[in-house]
Structures are given as C-alpha cells and as structure tokens.
Coordinates of all heavy atoms in Angstrom, one line a residue:
M12 N 80.9 -42.3 132.1 CA 81.1 -42.1 133.6 C 81.3 -43.4 134.2 O 80.6 -44.4 134.1 CB 79.9 -41.4 134.1 CG 80.0 -41.1 135.6 SD 78.7 -39.9 136.2 CE 77.8 -41.1 137.1
I13 N 82.4 -43.5 135.1 CA 82.6 -44.8 135.9 C 81.8 -44.6 137.2 O 82.1 -43.7 137.9 CB 84.1 -45.0 136.0 CG1 84.8 -45.1 134.7 CG2 84.3 -46.2 136.9 CD1 86.3 -45.2 134.6
D14 N 81.1 -45.7 137.5 CA 80.4 -45.7 138.8 C 81.2 -46.6 139.7 O 81.4 -47.7 139.7 CB 79.0 -46.3 138.5 CG 78.1 -46.2 139.7 OD1 78.4 -45.3 140.7 OD2 77.2 -46.9 139.8
S15 N 81.7 -45.8 140.8 CA 82.6 -46.5 141.8 C 81.7 -47.4 142.7 O 82.2 -48.4 143.2 CB 83.4 -45.5 142.6 OG 82.5 -44.6 143.3
D16 N 80.4 -46.9 143.0 CA 79.6 -47.6 143.9 C 78.9 -48.7 143.0 O 78.2 -48.5 142.1 CB 78.6 -46.8 144.6 CG 79.2 -45.9 145.7 OD1 80.4 -46.3 146.1 OD2 78.6 -44.8 145.9
P17 N 78.9 -50.0 143.6 CA 78.1 -51.0 142.8 C 76.6 -50.6 143.0 O 76.2 -50.1 144.1 CB 78.4 -52.3 143.5 CG 79.0 -51.9 144.8 CD 79.5 -50.5 144.6
S18 N 75.8 -50.9 142.0 CA 74.4 -50.6 142.2 C 73.7 -51.7 142.9 O 73.9 -52.9 142.7 CB 73.8 -50.3 140.9 OG 73.9 -51.4 140.0
P19 N 72.7 -51.4 143.7 CA 71.9 -52.5 144.5 C 71.2 -53.2 143.4 O 70.6 -52.8 142.4 CB 71.0 -51.7 145.4 CG 71.0 -50.3 144.9 CD 72.2 -50.1 144.0
E20 N 71.0 -54.5 143.9 CA 70.2 -55.6 142.8 C 69.2 -56.2 143.8 O 69.4 -56.4 145.0 CB 71.1 -56.5 142.4 CG 72.2 -56.0 141.4 CD 73.1 -57.1 140.9 OE1 72.5 -58.1 140.4 OE2 74.2 -57.0 140.8
L21 N 68.0 -56.6 143.1 CA 67.1 -57.4 143.9 C 67.7 -58.8 144.4 O 68.5 -59.4 143.7 CB 65.9 -57.8 143.0 CG 64.9 -56.8 142.6 CD1 63.8 -57.4 141.6 CD2 64.3 -56.2 143.8
G22 N 67.4 -59.0 145.6 CA 67.9 -60.2 146.2 C 69.2 -60.0 146.8 O 69.9 -61.0 147.4
Q23 N 69.8 -58.9 146.9 CA 71.2 -58.6 147.4 C 71.1 -58.4 148.9 O 70.1 -57.8 149.5 CB 71.8 -57.4 146.9 CG 73.1 -57.1 147.3 CD 73.9 -56.1 146.4 OE1 73.3 -55.2 145.7 NE2 75.3 -56.0 146.5
V24 N 71.9 -59.1 149.6 CA 72.0 -58.9 151.1 C 72.6 -57.5 151.5 O 73.7 -57.2 150.9 CB 72.8 -60.2 151.7 CG1 72.9 -59.9 153.2 CG2 72.0 -61.5 151.4
V25 N 72.1 -56.9 152.4 CA 72.6 -55.7 152.9 C 72.7 -55.7 154.5 O 72.0 -56.4 155.2 CB 71.8 -54.5 152.6 CG1 71.7 -54.3 151.0 CG2 70.4 -54.5 153.2
Q26 N 73.7 -54.9 154.9 CA 73.8 -54.6 156.3 C 73.4 -53.2 156.6 O 73.9 -52.3 155.9 CB 75.2 -54.9 156.8 CG 75.3 -54.9 158.3 CD 76.8 -55.4 158.8 OE1 77.7 -55.3 158.1 NE2 76.8 -55.8 160.0
I27 N 72.5 -53.0 157.6 CA 72.1 -51.8 157.9 C 73.1 -51.0 158.8 O 73.5 -51.5 159.8 CB 70.6 -51.8 158.6 CG1 69.7 -52.5 157.7 CG2 70.2 -50.4 159.0 CD1 68.4 -52.9 158.4
V28 N 73.4 -49.7 158.4 CA 74.5 -49.0 159.2 C 74.0 -47.8 159.8 O 74.7 -47.3 160.7 CB 75.7 -48.6 158.2 CG1 76.5 -49.9 157.7 CG2 75.4 -47.8 157.0
K29 N 72.7 -47.3 159.5 CA 72.2 -46.1 160.1 C 70.8 -46.4 160.4 O 70.0 -47.1 159.7 CB 72.3 -45.0 159.2 CG 73.7 -44.5 159.0 CD 73.6 -43.0 159.2 CE 75.0 -42.4 159.2 NZ 76.0 -42.1 158.4
G30 N 70.2 -45.9 161.5 CA 68.9 -46.1 162.0 C 68.8 -47.1 163.0 O 69.7 -47.7 163.6
R31 N 67.4 -47.2 163.4 CA 67.1 -48.1 164.6 C 67.5 -49.5 164.3 O 67.8 -50.2 165.4 CB 65.5 -48.0 164.7 CG 65.1 -48.8 165.9 CD 63.6 -48.8 166.0 NE 63.0 -47.5 165.5 CZ 61.6 -47.4 165.3 NH1 60.8 -48.4 165.7 NH2 61.2 -46.3 164.8
D32 N 67.6 -50.0 163.1 CA 67.9 -51.4 162.8 C 69.4 -51.5 162.5 O 69.7 -52.7 162.0 CB 67.1 -51.8 161.5 CG 65.6 -51.8 161.7 OD1 65.1 -51.9 162.9 OD2 64.9 -51.5 160.8
R33 N 70.2 -50.6 163.0 CA 71.6 -50.7 162.7 C 72.2 -52.0 163.2 O 71.9 -52.6 164.2 CB 72.3 -49.6 163.5 CG 73.8 -49.5 163.5 CD 74.4 -48.3 164.1 NE 73.8 -47.8 165.4 CZ 73.0 -46.8 165.5 NH1 72.7 -46.1 164.4 NH2 72.5 -46.5 166.7
G34 N 73.1 -52.5 162.2 CA 73.8 -53.8 162.5 C 73.0 -55.0 162.0 O 73.6 -56.2 161.9
Q35 N 71.7 -54.9 161.7 CA 70.9 -56.0 161.2 C 71.1 -56.3 159.7 O 71.6 -55.4 159.0 CB 69.4 -55.8 161.4 CG 69.1 -55.8 162.9 CD 67.6 -55.7 163.1 OE1 66.8 -55.5 162.3 NE2 67.2 -55.5 164.4
V36 N 70.9 -57.5 159.3 CA 71.0 -58.0 157.9 C 69.6 -58.1 157.3 O 68.8 -58.5 157.9 CB 71.7 -59.3 157.9 CG1 71.8 -59.8 156.5 CG2 73.2 -59.2 158.4
S37 N 69.6 -57.6 156.0 CA 68.3 -57.6 155.3 C 68.5 -57.9 153.9 O 69.8 -58.1 153.5 CB 67.6 -56.3 155.5 OG 66.2 -56.4 155.7
V38 N 67.4 -58.0 153.1 CA 67.5 -58.4 151.6 C 66.8 -57.3 150.9 O 65.7 -56.9 151.3 CB 66.9 -59.7 151.3 CG1 67.0 -60.0 149.9 CG2 67.7 -60.8 152.2
I39 N 67.4 -56.8 149.8 CA 66.7 -55.8 149.0 C 65.6 -56.5 148.1 O 65.8 -57.6 147.4 CB 67.7 -55.1 147.9 CG1 68.8 -54.4 148.7 CG2 67.0 -54.3 146.8 CD1 69.8 -53.7 147.8
I40 N 64.4 -56.1 148.3 CA 63.3 -56.7 147.6 C 62.6 -55.8 146.7 O 61.6 -56.1 146.0 CB 62.2 -57.3 148.6 CG1 61.6 -56.3 149.5 CG2 62.9 -58.5 149.3 CD1 60.3 -56.8 150.1
E41 N 63.0 -54.4 146.6 CA 62.5 -53.6 145.8 C 63.5 -52.4 145.4 O 64.2 -51.9 146.3 CB 61.2 -52.9 146.3 CG 60.5 -51.9 145.3 CD 59.3 -51.2 146.0 OE1 58.8 -51.6 147.1 OE2 58.7 -50.5 145.2
L42 N 63.6 -52.1 144.2 CA 64.5 -51.0 143.8 C 63.6 -49.8 143.5 O 62.8 -49.9 142.5 CB 65.3 -51.3 142.5 CG 66.2 -52.5 142.6 CD1 66.8 -52.9 141.3 CD2 67.2 -52.2 143.7
I43 N 63.6 -48.8 144.4 CA 62.5 -47.7 144.3 C 63.1 -46.7 143.4 O 62.3 -46.2 142.4 CB 62.3 -47.2 145.7 CG1 61.7 -48.2 146.5 CG2 61.4 -45.8 145.7 CD1 61.5 -47.9 148.0
D44 N 64.2 -46.1 143.5 CA 64.8 -45.2 142.5 C 66.4 -45.2 142.7 O 66.9 -46.1 143.3 CB 64.2 -43.7 142.6 CG 64.5 -43.1 144.0 OD1 65.4 -43.5 144.7 OD2 63.6 -42.3 144.5
D45 N 67.1 -44.2 142.3 CA 68.5 -44.2 142.4 C 69.1 -44.0 143.8 O 70.2 -44.2 144.1 CB 69.2 -43.3 141.3 CG 68.7 -41.9 141.5 OD1 67.8 -41.7 142.2 OD2 69.5 -41.0 140.9
R46 N 68.2 -43.6 144.7 CA 68.6 -43.3 146.1 C 68.0 -44.2 147.1 O 68.6 -44.3 148.2 CB 68.2 -41.9 146.5 CG 69.2 -40.8 145.8 CD 69.0 -39.5 146.4 NE 68.9 -39.4 147.8 CZ 68.1 -38.6 148.5 NH1 67.3 -37.8 148.0 NH2 68.2 -38.6 149.8
F47 N 66.9 -44.9 146.8 CA 66.2 -45.7 147.7 C 65.9 -47.1 147.3 O 65.7 -47.3 146.1 CB 64.9 -45.0 148.2 CG 65.0 -43.7 148.9 CD1 64.9 -42.5 148.2 CD2 65.2 -43.7 150.3 CE1 65.2 -41.3 148.9 CE2 65.3 -42.5 150.9 CZ 65.2 -41.3 150.3
V48 N 66.0 -48.0 148.2 CA 65.6 -49.4 148.0 C 64.6 -49.8 149.1 O 64.4 -49.1 150.1 CB 66.8 -50.4 148.0 CG1 67.7 -50.0 147.0 CG2 67.5 -50.2 149.4
G49 N 63.8 -50.8 148.9 CA 63.0 -51.5 149.8 C 63.6 -52.7 150.3 O 64.1 -53.6 149.6
I50 N 63.8 -52.9 151.7 CA 64.3 -54.0 152.3 C 63.3 -54.7 153.3 O 62.5 -54.1 153.8 CB 65.6 -53.7 153.0 CG1 65.4 -52.6 154.2 CG2 66.7 -53.1 152.0 CD1 66.6 -52.4 155.0
A51 N 63.6 -56.0 153.4 CA 62.8 -56.7 154.4 C 63.7 -58.0 154.8 O 64.6 -58.3 154.1 CB 61.5 -57.3 153.7
D52 N 63.4 -58.5 155.9 CA 64.0 -59.7 156.4 C 63.1 -60.9 156.6 O 63.6 -62.0 157.0 CB 64.8 -59.4 157.7 CG 64.0 -59.0 158.9 OD1 62.6 -59.1 158.8 OD2 64.4 -58.5 160.0
G53 N 61.8 -60.7 156.4 CA 60.8 -61.8 156.6 C 60.5 -62.1 158.0 O 59.6 -63.0 158.3
D54 N 61.1 -61.4 158.9 CA 60.8 -61.7 160.4 C 60.1 -60.4 161.0 O 59.0 -60.2 161.2 CB 62.1 -62.2 161.0 CG 61.8 -62.6 162.4 OD1 60.7 -63.0 162.7 OD2 62.8 -62.7 163.3
T55 N 61.1 -59.5 161.4 CA 60.6 -58.3 162.1 C 60.1 -57.2 161.0 O 59.3 -56.5 161.3 CB 61.8 -57.5 162.9 OG1 62.8 -57.3 162.1 CG2 62.1 -58.4 164.0
R56 N 60.7 -57.4 159.8 CA 60.2 -56.5 158.7 C 59.7 -57.4 157.6 O 60.5 -58.1 156.9 CB 61.5 -55.7 158.2 CG 61.1 -54.7 157.2 CD 60.1 -53.7 157.5 NE 60.5 -52.7 158.4 CZ 59.8 -51.7 158.8 NH1 58.6 -51.4 158.2 NH2 60.2 -50.8 159.7
K57 N 58.4 -57.5 157.5 CA 57.8 -58.5 156.5 C 57.7 -57.9 155.1 O 57.8 -56.7 154.9 CB 56.4 -58.7 157.0 CG 56.2 -59.3 158.4 CD 56.4 -60.7 158.4 CE 56.0 -61.4 159.7 NZ 56.8 -62.4 160.3
V58 N 57.5 -58.7 154.2 CA 57.5 -58.3 152.7 C 56.4 -57.2 152.5 O 56.6 -56.3 151.8 CB 57.2 -59.6 151.8 CG1 56.9 -59.1 150.4 CG2 58.4 -60.4 151.8
D59 N 55.2 -57.5 153.1 CA 54.1 -56.5 152.9 C 54.3 -55.2 153.6 O 53.5 -54.2 153.4 CB 52.8 -57.2 153.1 CG 52.6 -57.6 154.6 OD1 53.8 -57.8 155.3 OD2 51.5 -58.0 155.0
R60 N 55.3 -55.1 154.5 CA 55.6 -53.8 155.2 C 57.1 -53.5 155.1 O 57.8 -53.3 156.0 CB 55.2 -53.9 156.7 CG 53.8 -54.3 156.8 CD 52.9 -53.5 157.7 NE 53.6 -52.7 158.9 CZ 53.5 -51.3 158.8 NH1 52.8 -50.7 157.9 NH2 54.1 -50.6 159.9
L61 N 57.5 -53.5 153.8 CA 59.0 -53.4 153.7 C 59.5 -52.0 154.2 O 58.7 -51.0 154.2 CB 59.4 -53.5 152.1 CG 58.7 -52.6 151.2 CD1 59.6 -51.3 151.0 CD2 58.7 -53.2 149.8
K62 N 60.8 -51.9 154.4 CA 61.4 -50.6 154.8 C 62.0 -49.9 153.8 O 62.9 -50.5 153.0 CB 62.4 -51.0 156.0 CG 63.1 -49.7 156.5 CD 62.2 -48.9 157.3 CE 63.1 -47.7 157.9 NZ 62.2 -46.6 158.3
K63 N 61.6 -48.7 153.5 CA 62.3 -47.9 152.4 C 63.6 -47.3 153.1 O 63.5 -46.6 154.1 CB 61.3 -46.7 152.0 CG 61.9 -45.8 151.0 CD 60.9 -44.7 150.6 CE 61.4 -43.7 149.6 NZ 60.4 -42.7 149.4
K64 N 64.7 -47.7 152.5 CA 66.0 -47.2 153.0 C 66.8 -46.4 152.0 O 66.9 -46.7 150.8 CB 66.9 -48.4 153.4 CG 66.8 -48.9 154.8 CD 66.9 -48.0 155.9 CE 68.0 -48.3 156.9 NZ 67.8 -47.3 158.1
N65 N 67.4 -45.3 152.4 CA 68.4 -44.6 151.7 C 69.6 -45.6 151.4 O 70.1 -46.2 152.4 CB 68.8 -43.3 152.3 CG 69.7 -42.4 151.6 OD1 70.5 -42.8 150.9 ND2 69.6 -41.2 151.7
I66 N 70.2 -45.6 150.2 CA 71.2 -46.6 150.0 C 72.5 -46.1 150.8 O 73.4 -46.9 150.9 CB 71.5 -46.8 148.5 CG1 71.9 -45.6 147.8 CG2 70.4 -47.6 147.8 CD1 72.4 -45.7 146.3
N67 N 72.5 -44.8 151.2 CA 73.7 -44.4 151.9 C 73.6 -44.9 153.4 O 74.6 -44.7 154.0 CB 73.8 -42.9 151.9 CG 74.0 -42.3 150.5 OD1 74.7 -42.9 149.8 ND2 73.5 -41.1 150.3
H68 N 72.5 -45.4 153.7 CA 72.3 -45.9 155.2 C 72.5 -47.4 155.3 O 72.3 -48.0 156.3 CB 71.0 -45.4 155.8 CG 70.9 -44.0 155.8 ND1 69.8 -43.4 156.1 CD2 71.8 -43.0 155.6 CE1 69.9 -42.0 156.2 NE2 71.2 -41.8 155.8
I69 N 72.9 -48.0 154.2 CA 73.0 -49.5 154.1 C 74.4 -49.9 153.5 O 75.0 -49.1 152.8 CB 71.9 -50.2 153.3 CG1 71.9 -49.8 151.9 CG2 70.6 -50.2 154.1 CD1 70.8 -50.5 151.1
K70 N 75.0 -51.0 153.9 CA 76.2 -51.4 153.2 C 75.8 -52.6 152.4 O 75.3 -53.6 152.9 CB 77.1 -51.9 154.3 CG 78.4 -52.4 153.8 CD 79.4 -52.8 155.0 CE 80.2 -53.9 154.5 NZ 80.7 -54.8 155.6
L71 N 76.1 -52.4 151.1 CA 75.8 -53.5 150.1 C 76.9 -54.6 150.4 O 78.0 -54.4 150.3 CB 75.9 -53.0 148.7 CG 74.9 -51.9 148.4 CD1 75.2 -51.6 146.9 CD2 73.5 -52.4 148.4
V72 N 76.3 -55.8 150.6 CA 77.2 -57.0 150.7 C 77.3 -57.7 149.4 O 76.4 -57.7 148.6 CB 76.6 -58.0 151.9 CG1 77.5 -59.3 151.9 CG2 76.5 -57.3 153.1
D73 N 78.5 -58.2 149.1 CA 78.8 -58.7 147.7 C 78.2 -60.2 147.8 O 79.0 -61.2 147.6 CB 80.3 -58.7 147.5 CG 80.6 -59.2 146.1 OD1 79.7 -59.1 145.2 OD2 81.8 -59.6 145.8
Y74 N 76.9 -60.3 147.9 CA 76.1 -61.6 147.9 C 74.8 -61.3 147.5 O 74.1 -60.5 148.0 CB 76.3 -62.1 149.4 CG 75.5 -63.5 149.4 CD1 76.3 -64.6 149.1 CD2 74.2 -63.6 150.0 CE1 75.5 -65.9 149.3 CE2 73.6 -64.8 150.1 CZ 74.3 -66.0 149.7 OH 73.6 -67.1 149.8
I75 N 74.4 -62.2 146.5 CA 73.0 -62.1 146.0 C 72.4 -63.4 146.5 O 72.9 -64.5 146.2 CB 72.9 -62.0 144.5 CG1 73.7 -60.8 143.9 CG2 71.5 -61.9 144.0 CD1 73.2 -59.5 144.2
A76 N 71.1 -63.4 147.2 CA 70.5 -64.6 147.6 C 69.8 -65.1 146.4 O 68.8 -64.5 145.9 CB 69.5 -64.2 148.7
D77 N 70.3 -66.3 145.8 CA 69.7 -66.8 144.7 C 68.3 -67.2 144.7 O 67.4 -67.0 143.8 CB 70.6 -68.1 144.2 CG 71.9 -67.7 143.7 OD1 72.1 -66.7 143.2 OD2 72.8 -68.6 143.9
E78 N 67.9 -67.8 145.9 CA 66.5 -68.2 146.1 C 65.5 -66.9 146.1 O 64.4 -67.1 145.5 CB 66.3 -69.0 147.5 CG 66.8 -68.3 148.6 CD 68.3 -68.6 148.9 OE1 69.0 -69.2 148.2 OE2 68.7 -67.9 149.9
V79 N 66.0 -65.8 146.5 CA 65.1 -64.6 146.4 C 65.1 -64.0 145.0 O 64.0 -63.9 144.5 CB 65.6 -63.5 147.4 CG1 64.8 -62.2 147.3 CG2 65.6 -63.9 148.8
R80 N 66.2 -64.0 144.3 CA 66.2 -63.6 143.0 C 65.4 -64.5 142.0 O 64.6 -64.1 141.1 CB 67.6 -63.5 142.4 CG 67.7 -63.1 141.0 CD 69.0 -63.1 140.5 NE 69.6 -61.7 140.7 CZ 70.8 -61.3 140.4 NH1 71.6 -62.1 139.9 NH2 71.2 -60.1 140.6
N81 N 65.6 -65.8 142.2 CA 64.8 -66.8 141.4 C 63.3 -66.7 141.6 O 62.5 -66.9 140.8 CB 65.3 -68.2 141.7 CG 66.8 -68.4 141.2 OD1 67.1 -67.7 140.3 ND2 67.4 -69.4 141.7
S82 N 63.0 -66.4 142.9 CA 61.5 -66.3 143.3 C 61.0 -65.0 142.5 O 59.8 -65.1 141.9 CB 61.4 -66.1 144.8 OG 60.0 -65.9 145.1
F83 N 61.7 -63.9 142.4 CA 61.2 -62.7 141.7 C 61.1 -63.0 140.3 O 60.2 -62.7 139.6 CB 62.2 -61.5 141.9 CG 61.9 -60.7 143.1 CD1 62.7 -60.7 144.1 CD2 60.7 -60.1 143.3 CE1 62.4 -60.0 145.4 CE2 60.3 -59.3 144.4 CZ 61.3 -59.3 145.4
I84 N 62.1 -63.7 139.6 CA 61.9 -64.2 138.2 C 60.8 -65.0 137.9 O 60.1 -64.8 136.9 CB 63.4 -64.8 137.8 CG1 64.5 -63.8 137.9 CG2 63.2 -65.4 136.4 CD1 65.8 -64.4 137.7
E85 N 60.6 -66.0 138.8 CA 59.5 -67.0 138.5 C 58.1 -66.5 138.8 O 57.2 -66.7 138.0 CB 59.7 -68.3 139.4 CG 61.0 -69.1 138.9 CD 61.4 -70.1 140.0 OE1 60.7 -70.4 140.9 OE2 62.6 -70.7 139.8
T86 N 57.9 -65.7 139.9 CA 56.6 -65.4 140.4 C 56.4 -63.8 140.6 O 55.3 -63.3 140.7 CB 56.3 -65.9 141.8 OG1 57.2 -65.3 142.7 CG2 56.5 -67.5 141.8
G87 N 57.5 -63.1 140.4 CA 57.3 -61.6 140.6 C 57.3 -61.1 142.0 O 57.1 -60.0 142.3
R88 N 57.3 -62.0 142.9 CA 57.3 -61.8 144.4 C 58.1 -62.7 145.2 O 58.8 -63.7 144.7 CB 55.9 -61.7 144.9 CG 55.1 -63.0 144.7 CD 53.6 -62.9 145.1 NE 53.1 -64.1 145.5 CZ 53.2 -64.6 146.7 NH1 53.7 -63.9 147.7 NH2 52.7 -65.8 147.0
V89 N 58.3 -62.5 146.5 CA 59.1 -63.3 147.4 C 58.2 -63.5 148.7 O 57.5 -62.6 149.0 CB 60.4 -62.8 147.6 CG1 60.4 -61.6 148.4 CG2 61.3 -63.9 148.2
T90 N 58.3 -64.6 149.3 CA 57.6 -64.9 150.6 C 58.6 -64.6 151.8 O 59.8 -64.5 151.6 CB 57.2 -66.3 150.7 OG1 58.4 -67.2 150.7 CG2 56.4 -66.7 149.6
N91 N 58.0 -64.4 152.9 CA 58.7 -64.1 154.1 C 59.6 -65.2 154.6 O 60.7 -65.1 154.9 CB 57.8 -63.6 155.3 CG 57.1 -62.4 155.1 OD1 57.7 -61.4 154.8 ND2 55.8 -62.4 155.2
G92 N 59.0 -66.4 154.2 CA 59.8 -67.7 154.6 C 61.2 -67.7 153.7 O 62.2 -68.2 154.3
K93 N 61.0 -67.4 152.5 CA 62.2 -67.4 151.6 C 63.1 -66.4 152.0 O 64.3 -66.7 151.9 CB 61.8 -67.0 150.2 CG 61.8 -68.3 149.3 CD 61.8 -68.1 147.8 CE 61.7 -69.4 147.3 NZ 60.4 -69.8 146.7
L94 N 62.7 -65.2 152.6 CA 63.7 -64.3 153.1 C 64.3 -64.7 154.3 O 65.6 -64.5 154.4 CB 62.9 -62.8 153.3 CG 62.5 -62.1 152.2 CD1 61.7 -60.8 152.6 CD2 63.7 -61.7 151.2
R95 N 63.7 -65.3 155.2 CA 64.3 -65.8 156.4 C 65.2 -66.9 156.1 O 66.3 -66.9 156.7 CB 63.2 -66.4 157.3 CG 62.3 -65.3 158.0 CD 61.6 -65.9 159.2 NE 60.5 -66.9 158.7 CZ 59.3 -66.6 158.3 NH1 58.9 -65.4 158.3 NH2 58.5 -67.5 157.9
Y96 N 64.9 -67.7 155.2 CA 65.8 -68.9 154.7 C 67.1 -68.3 154.2 O 68.1 -68.7 154.5 CB 65.1 -69.8 153.8 CG 66.1 -70.9 153.2 CD1 66.4 -71.8 153.9 CD2 66.6 -70.6 151.9 CE1 67.3 -72.8 153.4 CE2 67.5 -71.5 151.4 CZ 67.7 -72.7 152.1 OH 68.6 -73.6 151.5
A97 N 66.9 -67.3 153.3 CA 68.0 -66.7 152.6 C 69.0 -66.1 153.6 O 70.2 -66.1 153.5 CB 67.6 -65.6 151.5
I98 N 68.4 -65.4 154.6 CA 69.3 -64.6 155.6 C 69.9 -65.6 156.5 O 71.1 -65.5 156.8 CB 68.5 -63.6 156.3 CG1 68.1 -62.4 155.5 CG2 69.2 -63.1 157.5 CD1 67.1 -61.5 156.0
T99 N 69.3 -66.7 156.9 CA 69.8 -67.7 157.7 C 71.0 -68.4 157.0 O 72.0 -68.7 157.5 CB 68.7 -68.8 158.1 OG1 67.7 -68.1 158.8 CG2 69.3 -69.8 159.1
N100 N 70.7 -68.8 155.8 CA 71.7 -69.4 154.9 C 73.0 -68.5 154.7 O 74.0 -69.0 154.9 CB 71.1 -69.7 153.5 CG 71.9 -70.7 152.7 OD1 72.7 -71.5 153.3 ND2 71.6 -70.6 151.4
F101 N 72.7 -67.2 154.5 CA 73.8 -66.3 154.4 C 74.6 -66.2 155.6 O 75.9 -66.3 155.6 CB 73.3 -64.9 154.1 CG 74.4 -63.9 154.0 CD1 75.3 -63.7 153.1 CD2 74.4 -62.9 155.2 CE1 76.2 -62.6 153.2 CE2 75.4 -62.0 155.3 CZ 76.3 -61.9 154.3
L102 N 74.0 -66.0 156.8 CA 74.7 -65.9 158.1 C 75.4 -67.1 158.5 O 76.5 -67.1 159.2 CB 73.7 -65.6 159.2 CG 73.1 -64.2 159.1 CD1 72.0 -64.0 160.1 CD2 74.1 -63.1 159.2
E103 N 74.9 -68.4 158.0 CA 75.7 -69.6 158.4 C 76.9 -69.8 157.5 O 77.8 -70.3 158.0 CB 74.7 -70.8 158.2 CG 73.7 -71.0 159.1 CD 72.7 -72.1 158.8 OE1 72.8 -72.7 157.7 OE2 71.8 -72.4 159.7
K104 N 76.9 -69.4 156.3 CA 77.9 -69.6 155.4 C 78.9 -68.5 155.1 O 79.9 -68.7 154.5 CB 77.3 -70.2 154.1 CG 76.6 -71.5 154.4 CD 76.1 -72.1 153.0 CE 75.4 -73.4 153.4 NZ 74.4 -73.8 152.5
H105 N 78.4 -67.3 155.2 CA 79.1 -66.1 154.5 C 79.3 -64.9 155.5 O 79.4 -63.7 155.0 CB 78.4 -65.6 153.3 CG 78.2 -66.7 152.3 ND1 79.3 -67.1 151.5 CD2 77.2 -67.4 151.9 CE1 78.8 -68.1 150.7 NE2 77.5 -68.3 150.9
T106 N 79.4 -65.2 156.9 CA 79.5 -64.0 157.8 C 80.8 -63.3 157.5 O 81.0 -62.2 157.9 CB 79.5 -64.5 159.2 OG1 80.4 -65.6 159.5 CG2 78.1 -65.1 159.6
D107 N 81.8 -64.0 157.0 CA 83.0 -63.2 156.6 C 82.9 -62.1 155.7 O 83.6 -61.1 155.8 CB 84.1 -64.2 155.9 CG 83.5 -64.9 154.7 OD1 82.3 -65.3 154.8 OD2 84.2 -64.9 153.7
L108 N 81.8 -62.0 154.9 CA 81.5 -60.9 154.0 C 81.0 -59.7 154.9 O 81.2 -58.5 154.3 CB 80.4 -61.2 152.9 CG 80.9 -62.3 152.0 CD1 79.6 -62.7 151.2 CD2 82.0 -61.9 151.1
L109 N 80.5 -59.9 156.0 CA 80.1 -58.7 156.7 C 81.2 -57.9 157.5 O 81.1 -56.8 157.7 CB 79.0 -59.2 157.9 CG 77.8 -59.8 157.4 CD1 76.9 -60.3 158.6 CD2 76.9 -58.7 156.7
K110 N 82.2 -58.7 157.8 CA 83.3 -58.1 158.6 C 84.4 -57.3 157.8 O 85.1 -56.5 158.3 CB 84.1 -59.3 159.4 CG 83.2 -60.0 160.3 CD 84.0 -61.0 161.1 CE 83.1 -61.7 162.1 NZ 82.8 -63.0 161.8
E111 N 84.4 -57.6 156.4 CA 85.6 -57.1 155.6 C 85.7 -55.6 155.6 O 86.6 -55.1 155.4 CB 85.5 -57.7 154.3 CG 84.4 -57.3 153.4 CD 84.5 -58.0 152.0 OE1 84.9 -59.1 151.9 OE2 83.9 -57.4 151.1
G112 N 84.5 -54.9 155.6 CA 84.6 -53.5 155.4 C 84.6 -52.6 156.7 O 84.6 -51.4 156.8
E113 N 84.7 -53.2 157.9 CA 84.5 -52.5 159.1 C 85.9 -52.1 159.7 O 86.9 -52.7 159.6 CB 83.7 -53.4 160.2 CG 82.4 -53.5 159.6 CD 81.4 -54.3 160.5 OE1 81.8 -55.5 160.9 OE2 80.4 -53.8 161.0

C-alpha cells in the first residue's frame, strides 16, 4: 500500500489548521497513535501540558527541528526552551514552507 500522506515524526514542525490555536506553529513531541500526536510550543503550550491533536487538524510542514530530535535521541525528552528556540529559528529562516499549501 502506498501512503500518500507523510507520517508525522518527532521534532516535526506543524501548523495548526483547526481549533482555538488555528494558524499557530508547534512541534510534534509525542506520537500517540496513527491518528493523534502530542504537540507543544514551549510557550503557551508547555511540554508537561502538551496538546493532543488529531493529525487531520494540523498541517505537517516539511521541516524537522534537529535540536528537538537530537534532544529526544540524547535524553528522551525536550525542554520548553528548546521548543521555543526551534520555532523561532524555523520562523526566521523557513516561513516560505508555511505559505506553500495555502
């Protein structure tokens, strides 16, 4: 079977398309099952209070935050500061990736 939708990955940047946080950028920090992921941004949504999101309600951006992924590999967790840094870094350098699907 060919999967047309790319599967979400830890450290992947997402744009929220449905819900109260619509339009905001976040990072996947937990893969819950084939329908849900846990996202956080380190600011309004902290790591210890991640948001469980249906993958149909987010847009997967073709960008993996290396610092977040490396943190998971090295320590098994990520800090709020690293998430804020990753999102700021993404927004400064890769905002073109947000506009392409709209």
